Amino acid sequence: MIARRHRRPVRLGLLAAALLLAALTALVMVRDGRPFGVDTGLHHWALTHRDPALDRFGIDLAVTGTGAPAYAVAALAGAVATGTRRWWWRGALVGVAALASAELLRTSLATAVGRPRPPRADWLAYASGHAFPSGHSTTSALLAIGLTAALLTHAQRRTTRAAAVVLPSLWALAVGVDRVYLGVHWPTDVLAGWLLAAVIGGALLPLLGALTRALSSSPAAWPTGRWWPRPASPEPSRDRDG
């Protein structure tokens, strides 16, 4: 849970990410998806600095940022967030559902923008769909945010808390940079993926945190309200004869 003194900076950061994403999306659409100077420059740099060992590592790294591995991490983050052995599967389902919803949102945005990828001759790995925003970058950044938040709920030592922040962040950063190295995304596609992940994560994390905490308890302890009624208790059985 975000401390009260940190809520304002987090909200300001969320607003800044949303505005930057909106501005970048508008610029890409105005240019009909054509790459910016920074895109072509960094793309060319990546092509001229490839190495067979890095090529293999980059291809393997990309696998961790999508598909089954990504959903496995999402399930792990949700399970850890519940903090209980009995109801871990509820949190796992929440994590998977949250990632699927985010993927649907990203795919919708990518379809609306319709930006082409870099030339196919430059690819080191197969890629499908539109380029903006990068799916791997969005997914890995979202997973890093969710996994960090889940681990911080249990980490007590300063070194453990630092590792919970640094390690997922480095992995997400590496996956995003790798998409440029592999030649399947422009750098601004990756930047847009990170911004989108920040917006989605910042907006949904409080809700997901409350949901996983609620699901970690028995149904009788679930919160009540107009939109979340308490499950009805079974009535005692009665004999037909009264």
Side-chain angles (χ1 to χ4, degrees):
M1 186 174 182
I2 300 175
R4 186 180 299 274
R5 66 179 182 277
H6 294 152
R7 290 178 184 175
R8 181 176 177 83
V10 168
R11 290 172 182 171
L12 291 176
L14 178 61
L15 177 60
L19 292 176
L20 287 173
L21 177 61
L24 182 56
T25 302
L27 288 173
V28 170
M29 296 183 73
V30 167
R31 294 171 58 86
D32 294 325
R34 294 191 306 275
F36 300 94
V38 66
D39 287 323
T40 54
L42 291 176
H43 179 76
H44 177 72
W45 188 90
L47 295 182
T48 57
H49 288 78
R50 283 177 172 172
D51 176 85
L54 282 178
D55 295 350
R56 185 68 260 172
F57 174 77
I59 293 172
D60 292 339
L61 177 62
V63 176
T64 67
T66 189
Y71 279 96
V73 175
L76 174 63
V80 170
T82 60
T84 61
R85 295 182 179 180
R86 182 179 182 184
W87 304 114
W88 64 268
W89 58 270
R90 293 176 176 174
L93 290 178
V94 170
V96 169
L99 181 58
S101 301
E103 290 285 359
L104 180 60
L105 179 60
R106 186 208 64 82
T107 303
S108 301
L109 178 59
T111 302
V113 175
R115 189 184 203 185
R117 293 178 181 271
R120 196 179 189 92
D122 298 338
W123 297 6
L124 284 179
Y126 173 75
S128 61
H130 298 293
F132 183 97
S134 165
H136 281 69
S137 303
T138 306
T139 299
S140 58
L142 278 172
L143 291 175
I145 293 171
L147 188 57
T148 295
L151 292 174
L152 287 178
T153 59
H154 304 287
Q156 301 296 330
R157 296 182 179 180
R158 181 176 299 180
T159 54
T160 306
R161 295 178 66 84
V165 174
V166 173
L167 294 181
S169 299
L170 288 178
W171 168 70
L173 177 64
V175 171
V177 173
D178 183 53
R179 302 309 284 168
V180 178
Y181 179 83
L182 295 178
V184 296
H185 276 292
W186 302 113
T188 47
D189 299 334
V190 174
L191 175 59
W194 289 338
L195 291 173
L196 179 60
V199 172
I200 295 176
L204 293 185
L205 202 56
L207 174 62
L208 293 177
L211 182 58
T212 52
R213 285 194 300 273
L215 294 179
S216 65
S217 58
S218 63
W222 289 359
T224 59
R226 180 179 180 184
W227 305 111
W228 197 340
R230 186 189 300 275
S233 302
E235 295 183 359
S237 59
R238 298 179 180 178
D239 296 333
R240 290 185 178 180
D241 296 335

